[in-house]
Amino acid sequence: MGRACSKYNDQDEFLYDPKLLENLDWAFVLQFLNPPITNEQPGEEWLLVRPLKLSDFDRGYLQILSQLTNVGNVSKANFESQFQKMRNTGGHYITVIEDTKINKIIGSASLITEFKFIHECALRGRLEDVVVNNTYRGKQLGKLIVLTVTLLSKKLGCYKMSLDCKDALIPYYKSLGYKSEPGNSNSMMNRFEKEDPS
């Protein structure tokens, strides 16, 4: 079990199983990180990469999202209800970075999976709502959270991971291995090749 998983306790109600974040294929993306970091070794021992928890309302999860977009007035009851809907529906893999020294969420990214009939009834992943607290920038945490959910989508068997971004962010996502979709440079994707069974 990884270092990060040892920090979980039985009282935690996660959006998805934290064991899914174990043994991600970091060899696939380590060239994008200098120095190399992973979700289990994020560079600072007090940082923890994990699934969103029901109790993260009290750790400032909505405040970190508000650095990205307008969140609106969301009560704790609203948050908990939406969390349970996402958990029960499945396909929602909101992954966060917690600063355990101050018990606050300082980064987040969402992987949403979609069942398809194409590609032999494959699974497609979408990357959404990527944000890192502006006081933590410069530590590769944006790269870390994007690559963590990218590798999670690969582990889940997605044939590709896609995202939509503004013009200014195209070079950033290209630096993480994403390519623009033909005819729409703002729609980007990362395809995962099937391994040859022979």
Side-chain angles (χ1 to χ4, degrees):
M1 189 177 282
R3 178 194 69 81
C5 289
S6 66
K7 294 191 176 185
Y8 303 144
N9 66 60
D10 294 335
Q11 314 294 309
D12 292 331
E13 189 171 356
F14 292 100
L15 186 62
Y16 66 91
D17 186 350
K19 289 184 178 176
L20 287 171
L21 292 176
E22 293 178 18
N23 304 313
L24 296 177
D25 184 12
W26 282 94
F28 184 71
V29 296
L30 272 182
Q31 72 269 24
F32 304 127
L33 295 158
N34 185 21
I37 56 176
T38 70
N39 62 302
E40 295 186 81
Q41 298 292 329
E44 308 282 0
E45 64 183 26
W46 53 86
L47 297 178
L48 179 62
V49 181
R50 60 165 174 79
L52 183 71
K53 292 197 292 195
L54 185 62
S55 55
D56 284 337
F57 180 89
D58 296 321
R59 290 185 186 87
Y61 176 67
L62 296 181
Q63 285 76 24
I64 192 72
L65 282 185
S66 71
Q67 290 188 22
L68 178 67
T69 190
N70 178 30
V71 174
N73 186 16
V74 179
S75 69
K76 188 170 186 176
N78 294 148
F79 176 85
E80 291 177 350
S81 172
Q82 192 79 330
F83 180 98
Q84 294 299 352
K85 288 174 191 171
M86 289 180 175
R87 190 168 189 235
N88 293 338
T89 302
H92 295 269
Y93 299 88
I94 300 173
T95 304
V96 299
I97 305 172
E98 179 186 356
D99 183 334
T100 61
K101 285 199 304 187
I102 59 171
N103 203 31
K104 290 289 182 190
I105 302 303
I106 56 98
S108 180
S110 298
L111 161 63
I112 313 299
T113 58
E114 175 186 0
F115 289 104
K116 308 291 276 185
F117 283 111
I118 59 173
H119 299 282
E120 300 173 358
C121 293
L123 195 63
R124 173 188 172 177
R126 286 198 57 80
L127 175 64
E128 298 183 351
D129 302 337
V130 177
V131 62
V132 171
N133 186 306
N134 50 27
T135 62
Y136 288 78
R137 296 201 178 132
K139 298 177 180 289
Q140 300 190 100
L141 298 181
K143 289 182 178 182
L144 177 64
I145 198 71
V146 168
L147 293 173
T148 296
V149 295
T150 300
L151 294 177
L152 177 58
S153 73
K154 183 176 187 278
K155 183 177 184 178
L156 292 170
C158 293
Y159 73 95
K160 80 173 178 178
M161 178 84 151
S162 59
L163 62 93
D164 293 315
C165 67
K166 296 176 181 173
D167 289 348
L169 289 173
I170 292 172
Y172 175 76
Y173 285 108
K174 281 187 175 176
S175 78
L176 297 177
Y178 282 80
K179 297 181 168 86
S180 292
E181 295 267 20
N184 184 356
S185 60
N186 299 95
S187 181
M188 306 188 75
M189 54 95 180
N190 197 332
R191 285 189 177 271
F192 307 115
E193 299 298 323
K194 277 192 174 179
E195 294 181 13
D196 188 347
S198 58

